Amino acid sequence: MECQWKPDEQGLQQILQLLKESQSPDTSTQRSVQQKLEQLNQYPDFNNYLIFVLTKLKTEDEATRSLSGLILKNNVKAHYQNFPNGVSDFIKNECLQNIGDSSPLIRATVGILITTIASKGELQNWPELLPKLCLQLDSEDYNTCEGAFGALQKICEDSAEILDSDMLDRPLNVMIPKFLQFFKHSSPKIRSHAIACVNQFIISRTQALMLHIDPFIEEVVSLFSDEEPEVRKNVCRALVMLLEVRLDRLLPHMHNIIEYMLQRTQNQDENVALEACEFWLTLAEQPVCKEVLIGHEFFFFFFCHRLTPVLVNGMKYSEIDIILLKGDVEEDEAIPDNEQDIRPRFHRSRTVAQQHEGGDSIEEDDDLDDDETISDWNLRKCSAAALDVLANVFRDDLLLHILPLLKELLFHPEWLIKESGILVLGAIAEGCMQGMIPYLPELIPHLVQCLSDKKALVRSITCWTLSRYTHWVVSQPPDIYLKPLMTELLKRILDSNKRVQEAACSAFATLEEEACTELVPYLAYILDTLVFAFGKYQHKNLLILYDAIGTLADSVGHHLNKPEYIQMLMPPLIQKWNQLKDEDKDLFHLLECLSSVATALQSGFLPYCEPVYQRCVNLVQKTLAQTVVRSHTITHTHTPSSLCNTTQPEFYEASDKDFMIVALDLLSGLAEGLGGNIEQLVARSNILTLMYQCMQDKMPEVRQSSFALLGDLTKACFRHVKPCIANLMPILGTNLNPELISVCNNATWAIGEISIQMGSEMQPYVPMVLQQLVEIINRPNTPKTLLENTAITIGRLGYVCPQEVAPMLQQFIRPWCTSLRNIRDNEEKDSAFRGICTMITVNPGGVVQVRHVILTDSVSWESLQDDYGCMLHTQNQVGDENWRHFSDQFPLPLKERLAAFYGV
């Protein structure tokens, strides 16, 4: 029998020596040991030696035995399928025999080894495992019971799905009732294991648990008096997950649950407090939260009166937070950054959107993560997030209970308390904005003063909180609020503390987005500060500075195109551009920045465009070459017409293509900013060949950016694009899939731009796209940006090919009108509207049933008031009798506008 395998003594001693040497701090020794271990993996029974050391050599030190088990675990993960049957059977048997080792470390290591084997698909091939472990739970030996529970907990964590499948004959039907029996075990460790095991099956609504949901909740509630921190953590986790899946079953116990969670949120053990705090965040996010709480007067009073102070108290920095943040260090600008602290940042591919009346409304996620240097989720962040969500639920009802606290906190002499008050003010900004407005004339100047506080942590949180109120600031007289805020934020951008620099840069970017052209009078001062920061910032904040400059360019647009501004801004950017190699990740941020700058500067970017353009083309080409999977010759030609002869497209791996995506977006920015001036650059490059390949990439973000580039090149230099249209249009047609919103949006927009340039020659391509576009515009819950671009493209197709599009007029005219109601009047809207008028002349019956919708929207377009002929033609085409029936149903304001604008 394999279980009687015995090691060779000499071989055993060699392995023990290696295990001890591997614990040496010397890297060369570790490297040598690693090589020897890899060589030993060639011997089939090497893994027998490892399990033997773990389970049999009880006189060896625990660290060596455990290390042997962890090496074996790694071998199982990498090579288990190659283990001979005798070896795998020996390992399994030894694990089950030694799950109750007297050492907690060895028990845990054996448990890890068991679950690793199980996760390799071995639960089916190890039928005795689960029954044996469940049987060992009943052992009178504590070590055996605890070891078996530890292994079962890991299996439940790693193999939850298969445990609930017919493949194993649904063992959870036996296991879950078994686990519930141990909720009252005398050992806190066992109780904790039991709850943790069951918790794995709450979110998935596992049937075996749902059948016992009421006994489970009763058992959880019975543990409210348990004082063991691990038990408390698992109880809190259970209740948080139950909120999401069985709130109905919690309601009878809600009074006790709320009281319990309130106490645990104030627990001295911050890990317990954090688990409890998640309860409030999760409850506030439930759609029925407000109805449930307002329907129970106690709950509502509790939320607004008792919970608020607890959450506010949790928003103070703990001692450990301050240590981790180096909160006692005020000046650190000269200390180089630790490269490991610089988080990877992901590019958001270019999406073409229409401009709206009253400004853009593109929603961004508001980030409550004000402590970016503490990567872990903590009580402070959770409390702030919970208060933020609660403020959005209860709004001014919550504000009534927060205002007295804020008055005390914001003006407190102790900086730690004052800082938490400023965080509270930022957390409630979105939900309580309307109620806060009467207090902001006093609070905003106070916060601006706090930007000069002697404590860096106060200055940094003030930057963040002010960024949450910039929308209000921009709506007020600029000299009273905007100018003082801008001035102080610019000073903080040059702060001597890196954390404050970061917060100020981010806050200023938010201010730029809100203020837009309101900043134009101050551009020289702003640019002077941002450029000075180039020479001051360490690595991490330099990347944030790029973002602030790019956002400024997006916000002020062509106002940046002045010689004095260009001379200030471009030299440091180009210097960085020349310093960075193609493989440098910092280039990624600089490309994003330059994309915005090039679009804003327009012709002002001409002196810098050629090297920037060529490098972007090279980046795209290099990335494509690096990610080719199938061997295929790339034809490097400089004539766009070669696209028409391109053969089977490339196939690429979905590898890291961020550089290519950002390069495509910068090329789009160049085309948009330079217009016709980009023509010679396009003529001398193979960009259209590369773009064609990118349009067929498997990665949606690559296609999204390539369609944006196609649309911009179509506007800037169509004569180079036109010979390739026959190849490009089928690809655009296949990407009109609204499941990939941004890809579909950019493909739709590009089709509209191509239509205007092609004119009647667009006719052969209309059948490739029209049906999909009509389906998109009629699709429920379609995002606004996609609806708007779809409406414009349908209108443009109808403008150039009315005979082909007009027969479908009745299928899209109503959503077409409502989609374009709030877009600013521009060339795209104008051509789309003229397209509708042209289609009405071809198919007047297509709009009679729509009644006043089309005219309600068309007369709202101020710049189209001169289109008198189109309006009269519409009246003539539908006929006098139909027109009277049509117009009799118009509301009086519409009749008055029609009479004033068109005389009809």
Side-chain angles (χ1 to χ4, degrees):
M1 289 179 61
E2 286 77 16
C3 61
Q4 293 179 348
W5 175 90
K6 296 284 190 245
D8 173 75
E9 189 60 34
Q10 186 177 356
L12 181 62
Q13 292 306 316
Q14 288 178 348
I15 289 172
L16 281 171
Q17 184 62 31
L18 277 177
L19 291 171
K20 294 182 186 299
E21 288 177 2
S22 70
Q23 298 171 58
S24 165
D26 182 63
T27 53
S28 61
T29 303
Q30 290 179 358
R31 199 176 301 116
S32 172
V33 169
Q34 187 62 35
Q35 290 172 352
K36 291 175 183 175
L37 288 172
E38 288 172 5
Q39 291 169 2
L40 287 169
N41 267 322
Q42 298 170 14
Y43 298 96
D45 65 348
F46 171 54
N47 293 299
N48 282 359
Y49 281 89
L50 293 175
I51 191 69
F52 188 88
V53 172
L54 173 65
T55 61
K56 298 294 188 188
L57 296 189
K58 299 185 185 294
T59 56
E60 281 294 331
D61 61 275
E62 291 183 0
T64 299
R65 292 174 64 196
S66 178
L67 179 60
S68 181
L70 294 176
I71 292 171
L72 177 55
K73 179 212 63 168
N74 291 335
N75 287 348
V76 168
K77 287 180 75 172
H79 313 295
Y80 188 75
Q81 68 278 9
N82 300 324
F83 283 18
N85 287 338
V87 172
S88 56
D89 289 345
F90 180 63
I91 293 170
K92 289 177 181 178
N93 186 66
E94 285 299 306
C95 285
L96 286 177
Q97 292 296 323
N98 291 275
I99 194 69
D101 194 280
S102 60
S103 161
L105 177 61
I106 301 305
R107 291 200 300 272
T109 307
V110 171
I112 290 169
L113 187 52
I114 287 174
T115 194
T116 305
I117 295 171
S119 68
K120 299 298 289 186
E122 283 298 295
L123 275 176
Q124 303 94 301
N125 301 322
W126 197 355
E128 67 271 24
L129 173 63
L130 294 176
K132 177 77 170 175
L133 290 175
C134 285
L135 188 63
Q136 288 174 324
L137 296 182
D138 295 321
S139 171
E140 293 184 4
D141 176 57
Y142 168 81
N143 293 336
T144 301
C145 177
E146 195 278 325
F149 242 134
L152 283 166
Q153 182 178 335
K154 295 178 182 72
I155 291 170
C156 290
E157 290 170 0
D158 294 347
S159 306
E161 191 172 334
I162 195 170
L163 288 173
D164 190 37
S165 69
D166 290 326
M167 194 181 301
L168 296 179
D169 199 22
R170 299 196 178 273
L172 290 180
N173 291 336
V174 174
M175 292 167 64
I176 284 180
K178 183 84 172 174
F179 294 153
L180 292 177
Q181 296 174 14
F182 288 86
F183 276 40
K184 291 186 171 71
H185 195 278
S186 59
S187 163
K189 189 76 179 285
I190 302 295
R191 296 197 298 273
S192 182
H193 278 317
I195 309 167
C197 284
V198 181
N199 282 357
Q200 297 303 317
F201 306 101
I202 298 175
I203 293 297
S204 60
R205 294 179 170 85
T206 301
Q207 185 182 10
L209 176 57
M210 293 301 107
L211 290 172
H212 298 86
I213 193 66
D214 290 326
F216 172 54
I217 293 173
E218 292 284 353
E219 292 291 346
V220 169
V221 171
S222 74
L223 291 170
F224 282 1
S225 59
D226 200 306
E227 297 184 2
E228 184 64 31
E230 281 301 313
V231 174
R232 286 176 166 177
K233 278 166 57 177
N234 282 315
V235 166
C236 291
R237 282 178 192 158
L239 292 169
V240 169
M241 290 186 283
L242 286 166
L243 272 181
E244 296 188 40
V245 299
R246 294 312 303 258
L247 176 60
D248 59 321
R249 286 292 199 264
L250 290 185
L251 284 177
H253 307 277
M254 194 59 83
H255 186 111
N256 289 337
I257 290 171
I258 283 178
E259 285 290 349
Y260 178 75
M261 291 309 234
L262 180 66
Q263 294 302 318
R264 296 292 73 78
T265 308
Q266 302 171 79
N267 206 281
Q268 291 300 307
D269 185 324
E270 188 171 324
N271 293 318
V272 175
L274 175 57
E275 295 291 347
C277 192
E278 293 278 2
F279 179 85
W280 313 117
L281 179 57
T282 304
L283 180 57
E285 288 173 341
Q286 298 307 306
V288 297
C289 172
K290 192 167 186 178
E291 290 78 0
V292 167
L293 294 169
I294 289 181
H296 296 73
E297 187 176 341
F298 162 77
F299 296 156
F300 181 62
F301 173 78
F302 169 85
F303 252 74
C304 292
H305 183 67
R306 291 184 59 198
L307 176 63
T308 303
V310 174
L311 292 177
V312 167
N313 189 58
M315 292 163 72
K316 284 191 301 192
Y317 278 123
S318 68
E319 290 182 13
I320 190 69
D321 288 340
I322 295 172
I323 293 169
L324 290 171
L325 289 168
K326 300 185 175 76
D328 56 336
V329 177
E330 297 299 326
E331 295 188 12
D332 61 356
E333 63 177 344
I335 301 171
D337 292 330
N338 184 342
E339 295 301 308
Q340 294 176 338
D341 293 338
I342 301 175
R343 293 180 178 182
R345 181 165 166 262
F346 302 100
H347 175 63
R348 181 175 294 177
S349 301
R350 188 179 180 95
T351 301
V352 183
Q354 299 297 324
Q355 298 290 302
H356 295 81
E357 298 298 344
D360 286 330
S361 59
I362 297 173
E363 292 185 5
E364 301 280 353
D365 289 334
D366 234 339
D367 190 2
L368 266 172
D369 186 4
D370 62 293
D371 300 326
E372 287 199 5
T373 48
I374 305 179
S375 59
D376 295 327
W377 185 242
N378 60 19
L379 181 61
R380 171 182 165 90
K381 292 179 184 178
C382 189
S383 299
L387 191 62
D388 179 25
V389 180
L390 286 168
N392 276 284
V393 173
F394 295 107
R395 300 193 178 275
D396 292 351
D397 289 330
L398 187 71
L399 184 61
L400 290 173
H401 298 272
I402 289 181
L403 281 174
L405 295 171
L406 274 176
K407 288 177 182 175
E408 179 184 343
L409 298 173
L410 289 172
F411 300 93
H412 201 281
E414 189 179 335
W415 76 266
L416 199 63
I417 297 174
K418 177 181 176 181
E419 193 276 346
S420 70
I422 296 170
L423 174 58
V424 170
L425 189 58
I428 65 170
E430 184 181 345
C432 299
M433 179 60 77
Q434 282 304 115
M436 285 299 303
I437 286 175
Y439 306 97
L440 293 180
E442 178 187 351
L443 285 175
I444 295 299
H446 174 68
L447 288 174
V448 170
Q449 283 184 344
C450 291
L451 286 172
S452 302
D453 195 276
K454 64 179 182 179
K455 292 296 295 185
L457 289 175
V458 173
R459 299 198 299 275
S460 62
I461 196 60
T462 304
C463 291
W464 177 79
T465 292
L466 279 165
S467 74
R468 305 266 285 176
Y469 290 94
T470 51
H471 184 76
W472 181 85
V473 168
V474 169
S475 69
Q476 303 302 306
D479 285 345
I480 302 177
Y481 300 105
L482 175 61
K483 191 173 179 181
L485 171 59
M486 181 196 67
T487 303
E488 286 304 314
L489 273 180
L490 288 172
K491 289 179 184 176
R492 297 287 67 79
I493 284 175
L494 302 180
D495 200 276
S496 58
N497 181 275
K498 291 190 292 186
R499 181 179 175 78
V500 178
Q501 293 171 1
E502 176 185 359
C505 247
S506 297
F508 196 77
T510 304
L511 180 63
E512 290 168 342
E513 290 172 339
E514 291 288 350
C516 293
T517 52
E518 293 283 335
L519 296 179
V520 170
Y522 317 107
L523 270 175
Y525 181 34
I526 293 169
L527 287 171
D528 189 50
T529 301
L530 297 180
V531 168
F532 188 82
F534 265 111
K536 185 181 181 74
Y537 277 12
Q538 298 294 336
H539 187 186
K540 180 183 177 184
N541 286 349
L542 194 59
L543 305 183
I544 299 167
L545 182 62
Y546 291 146
D547 182 60
I549 291 171
T551 305
L552 178 67
D554 291 335
S555 300
V556 301
H558 66 89
H559 296 284
L560 205 56
N561 186 12
K562 288 189 176 180
E564 60 269 31
Y565 298 156
I566 295 170
Q567 189 53 44
M568 293 172 74
L569 180 60
M570 288 308 299
L573 287 176
I574 294 299
Q575 182 184 4
K576 294 290 183 185
W577 173 266
N578 291 331
Q579 287 174 354
L580 297 176
K581 297 178 180 178
D582 284 354
E583 300 77 25
D584 195 319
K585 291 288 185 183
D586 287 9
L587 186 62
F588 177 82
H589 300 264
L590 186 53
L591 283 163
E592 283 186 318
C593 174
L594 282 173
S595 178
S596 298
V597 171
T599 303
L601 291 188
Q602 301 175 349
S603 59
F605 199 78
L606 271 173
Y608 313 96
C609 67
E610 187 162 358
V612 172
Y613 176 91
Q614 194 54 52
R615 189 171 189 181
C616 286
V617 172
N618 291 342
L619 281 168
V620 174
Q621 187 162 296
K622 184 185 294 187
T623 308
L624 289 176
Q626 287 171 346
T627 54
V628 171
V629 174
R630 186 178 297 175
S631 173
H632 184 76
T633 304
I634 300 177
T635 305
H636 296 294
T637 174
H638 296 298
T639 55
S641 59
S642 68
L643 207 66
C644 308
N645 301 316
T646 304
T647 56
Q648 179 71 20
E650 304 293 299
F651 289 84
Y652 310 106
E653 291 177 335
S655 57
D656 182 7
K657 298 180 181 177
D658 284 340
F659 278 117
M660 178 165 70
I661 294 167
V662 186
L664 289 168
D665 288 348
L666 179 45
L667 289 168
S668 286
L670 288 172
E672 184 180 348
L674 299 177
N677 290 315
I678 203 173
E679 187 169 338
Q680 289 186 348
L681 295 172
V682 172
R684 296 198 300 267
S685 72
N686 62 338
I687 185 57
L688 286 165
T689 303
L690 300 173
M691 182 184 72
Y692 174 74
Q693 294 166 2
C694 291
M695 286 172 62
Q696 298 168 88
D697 197 278
K698 289 188 295 186
M699 189 174 182
E701 291 82 1
V702 176
R703 300 201 303 278
Q704 176 183 335
S705 291
S706 64
F707 296 149
L709 176 58
L710 171 59
D712 284 315
L713 290 178
T714 296
K715 293 172 71 174
C717 53
F718 185 64
R719 73 184 186 92
H720 294 292
V721 177
K722 188 174 182 180
C724 315
I725 290 298
N727 288 79
L728 301 176
M729 282 303 302
I731 301 173
L732 290 170
T734 59
N735 279 275
L736 295 177
N737 171 16
E739 295 299 322
L740 295 171
I741 294 167
S742 297
V743 176
C744 182
N745 178 76
N746 287 7
T748 301
W749 175 75
I751 292 166
E753 293 299 334
I754 290 168
S755 301
I756 292 298
Q757 298 292 338
M758 289 285 284
S760 60
E761 293 179 72
M762 193 69 181
Q763 184 178 343
Y765 307 109
V766 172
M768 293 181 185
V769 300
L770 183 58
Q771 184 60 45
Q772 297 98 301
L773 292 170
V774 172
E775 288 175 5
I776 291 167
I777 204 168
N778 283 289
R779 193 170 184 258
N781 303 318
T782 301
K784 183 170 63 175
T785 297
L786 178 54
L787 278 178
E788 292 165 353
N789 277 320
T790 303
I792 284 172
T793 294
I794 290 174
R796 289 178 146 195
L797 283 169
Y799 185 50
V800 298
C801 299
Q803 296 294 337
E804 286 70 29
V805 184
M808 298 186 74
L809 193 58
Q810 193 167 352
Q811 295 183 40
F812 62 75
I813 185 63
R814 183 181 294 275
W816 187 94
C817 291
T818 54
S819 296
L820 298 186
R821 181 174 292 162
N822 297 316
I823 297 179
R824 290 180 190 165
D825 296 342
N826 58 23
E827 185 181 332
E828 293 180 17
K829 186 173 178 180
D830 180 78
S831 60
F833 178 64
R834 292 175 191 276
I836 288 293
C837 291
T838 306
M839 284 186 276
I840 290 172
T841 67
V842 174
N843 179 19
V847 297
V848 171
Q849 299 302 318
V850 186
R851 308 197 175 195
H852 62 274
V853 175
I854 184 171
L855 293 180
T856 300
D857 288 294
S858 61
V859 298
S860 73
W861 299 355
E862 302 293 343
S863 69
L864 305 178
Q865 293 172 15
D866 63 336
D867 211 348
Y868 174 76
C870 178
M871 194 57 62
L872 282 184
H873 204 56
T874 302
Q875 178 181 354
N876 293 336
Q877 288 294 314
V878 300
D880 289 342
E881 188 174 342
N882 276 335
W883 178 261
R884 277 194 296 274
H885 177 71
F886 192 23
S887 59
D888 282 346
Q889 299 173 63
F890 297 165
L892 183 60
L894 174 57
K895 290 180 180 178
E896 291 173 351
R897 293 195 78 186
L898 283 171
F901 291 168
Y902 302 105
V904 296

